Amino acid sequence: MLVRVYDLFAGGKTDKFDILFSLDDADEQILETHTFGVERACWTRAALTAIAEVMVRREDDIMASGEWQEAAEDILNNAKSAFSKFPWHLPDLVEQAPDLHAEMLERLTGNDFGDSISKRAFAKLCKAVVYGYMK
């Protein structure tokens, strides 16, 4: 469901009500079921998984341009904004950056991501996105 929210946000629907009204019945049911009583850690893990899924889906386009750093920055910034109304813990993106980097290496088919963005560089990028000091 968070991947769908990301897609809507990246597609220009930035208002939370526009996003909500664009979700289908299954997504709305998931949202209603999991909004209350679900630990923030679960929402955080879902957000990180959604970020990884978006990177995997965009792999071919990113490989063609060779701009892994810019693509990762764009995806992370969009996720930060798109998921801002959800109860995830954004600073965990910094703490879990090495695990997210490892997940990306595992899920992506090529080696371009790992060759372009080291674990340390990815952690720095995540920190810059979370704390707002981009270039």
Side-chain angles (χ1 to χ4, degrees):
M1 196 253 328
L2 287 179
V3 172
R4 178 84 173 116
V5 169
Y6 179 94
D7 289 343
L8 290 166
F9 185 88
K13 291 191 184 225
T14 57
D15 181 75
K16 69 179 180 178
F17 293 109
D18 288 342
I19 292 171
L20 182 62
F21 293 132
S22 296
L23 296 175
D24 62 25
D25 291 339
D27 289 332
E28 285 186 39
Q29 183 61 41
I30 289 170
L31 190 58
E32 287 177 19
T33 302
H34 298 291
T35 299
F36 301 104
V38 174
E39 295 289 323
R40 182 173 68 180
C42 293
W43 277 106
T44 301
R45 185 65 199 147
L48 296 176
T49 300
I51 291 167
E53 179 60 29
V54 170
M55 290 280 278
V56 168
R57 288 187 330 181
R58 291 190 49 198
E59 180 178 14
D60 290 340
D61 293 336
I62 300 168
M63 283 177 33
S65 72
E67 300 295 332
W68 281 100
Q69 180 77 21
E70 290 81 1
E73 184 179 314
D74 180 55
I75 289 168
L76 290 168
N77 273 314
N78 277 336
K80 176 183 177 180
S81 297
F83 304 154
S84 67
K85 302 298 183 199
F86 291 89
W88 73 309
H89 191 235
L90 180 63
D92 283 353
L93 179 58
V94 174
E95 183 178 315
Q96 295 181 23
D99 292 336
L100 183 56
H101 186 271
E103 183 176 347
M104 297 308 307
L105 291 176
E106 186 177 301
R107 292 183 66 184
L108 293 167
T109 58
N111 295 327
D112 294 0
F113 174 77
D115 292 344
S116 298
I117 305 175
S118 68
K119 186 187 303 185
R120 184 167 192 257
F122 188 72
K124 286 176 131 181
L125 175 59
C126 289
K127 189 174 185 179
V129 168
V130 168
Y131 297 110
Y133 52 91
M134 299 304 293
K135 52 184 168 180

